[in-house]
Amino acid sequence: RLLAGGLLDLLYPPVCVLCGQMGAAPLCAVCRAQWKPVPAPVCGACAAALPPSGQCARCAAEPLASLSAVRAAGCYEGRLREAICALKYRKRTSLAAPLAEFLAEYLLADSAWLASVEVIVPVPLHPSRMRARGFNQAEHIAHAVSRRTGIPMAPHALFRIRNTRPQVRLRASERAANVSGAFGRPSVQALAHRHVLLVDDVVTTLHTLEECASVALGAGAKSVKACGVARDN
């Protein structure tokens, strides 16, 4: 097996998915070093970068309703954005592990914030989109975060009952209506009396995460936090 692997490396050298550097798969150290955290100061509620005034415009206009808090490991830009898009749209699933490690390291650095979490739940895809894409990127990331943190994952605790339009294509004013009533819960046991952490790839307007949190609370969850690999401000 070792010989066969060596021959394969000679014929098809491993390369960085993002820049093509040989000998570094799926991600080279140079590209990984360009994943930048959300610049401080950051809103303690929604994880958005704060303006010089120190007031979060998003939370002032629309405070969190079902989520207790949100965290994001980095900024949705540059090489981090390229990595997430390569995983999501080019099916480069090998990037799920380094992306999840980036998120897990960030969460473990704030052990107090993570301490109460009892179950990790990925944001689900609708079955039709799952069939088209072949995988759920949030589930890949959540699974790796679960392994790294030791917190159990409930991959099917939530499901989509309505196939929504991609949020990225909608105006901010349309996004809440787009995901309203889009999620259901197949098993109350997975969520009842537990502190839940929702995991997604990108945190944007929070409407999807808020809708998921509302459903989880309806199933008896004690509290719901959320996190993403990147924050798109």
Side-chain angles (χ1 to χ4, degrees):
R1 288 183 181 178
L2 290 174
L3 179 60
L7 288 173
L8 284 173
D9 282 348
L10 286 173
L11 292 171
Y12 306 101
V15 298
C16 173
V17 171
L18 301 185
C19 72
Q21 179 182 321
M22 295 181 64
L27 185 72
C28 73
V30 174
C31 288
R32 170 61 178 80
Q34 294 178 56
W35 293 1
K36 302 300 183 183
V38 180
V42 175
C43 177
C46 77
L50 292 175
S53 66
Q55 300 297 315
C56 179
R58 191 270 168 206
C59 288
E62 192 175 357
L64 297 180
S66 298
L67 291 164
S68 61
V70 180
R71 294 289 185 272
C75 294
Y76 188 56
E77 60 185 37
R79 289 300 196 196
L80 182 55
R81 178 173 182 159
E82 289 178 33
I84 292 171
C85 290
L87 166 64
K88 196 169 181 176
Y89 304 118
R90 293 163 51 199
K91 301 184 179 182
R92 299 301 180 91
T93 54
S94 60
L95 287 170
L99 287 168
E101 182 67 18
F102 181 57
L103 176 57
E105 287 176 1
Y106 171 80
L107 294 174
L108 288 168
D110 189 355
S111 57
W113 192 86
L114 198 62
S116 64
V117 176
E118 296 172 293
V119 62
I120 290 172
V121 177
V123 173
L125 285 179
H126 189 268
S128 63
R129 192 169 298 172
M130 185 75 167
R131 287 192 297 270
R133 185 173 294 171
F135 67 98
N136 178 2
Q137 73 281 352
E139 187 172 336
H140 274 258
I141 293 167
H143 184 68
V145 169
S146 174
R147 287 200 311 268
R148 181 72 169 78
T149 61
I151 300 170
M153 182 176 79
H156 307 299
L158 297 173
F159 68 97
R160 286 197 187 236
I161 56 179
R162 185 164 56 80
N163 192 12
T164 58
R165 291 182 291 166
Q167 293 282 79
V168 71
R169 299 177 186 174
L170 303 176
R171 293 190 296 270
S173 60
E174 298 174 316
R175 293 180 178 183
N178 185 49
V179 295
S180 178
F183 299 94
R185 55 183 189 273
S187 172
V188 173
Q189 287 183 332
L191 301 172
H193 312 299
R194 306 179 84 178
H195 295 287
V196 176
L197 177 63
L198 297 170
V199 173
D200 208 354
D201 53 349
V202 182
V203 176
T204 52
T205 62
L206 301 180
H207 292 125
T208 297
L209 291 170
E210 280 273 55
E211 188 68 20
C212 286
S214 176
V215 172
L217 291 173
K222 288 182 179 179
S223 69
V224 184
K225 295 178 178 179
C227 66
V229 176
R231 184 70 162 93
D232 185 1
N233 289 316

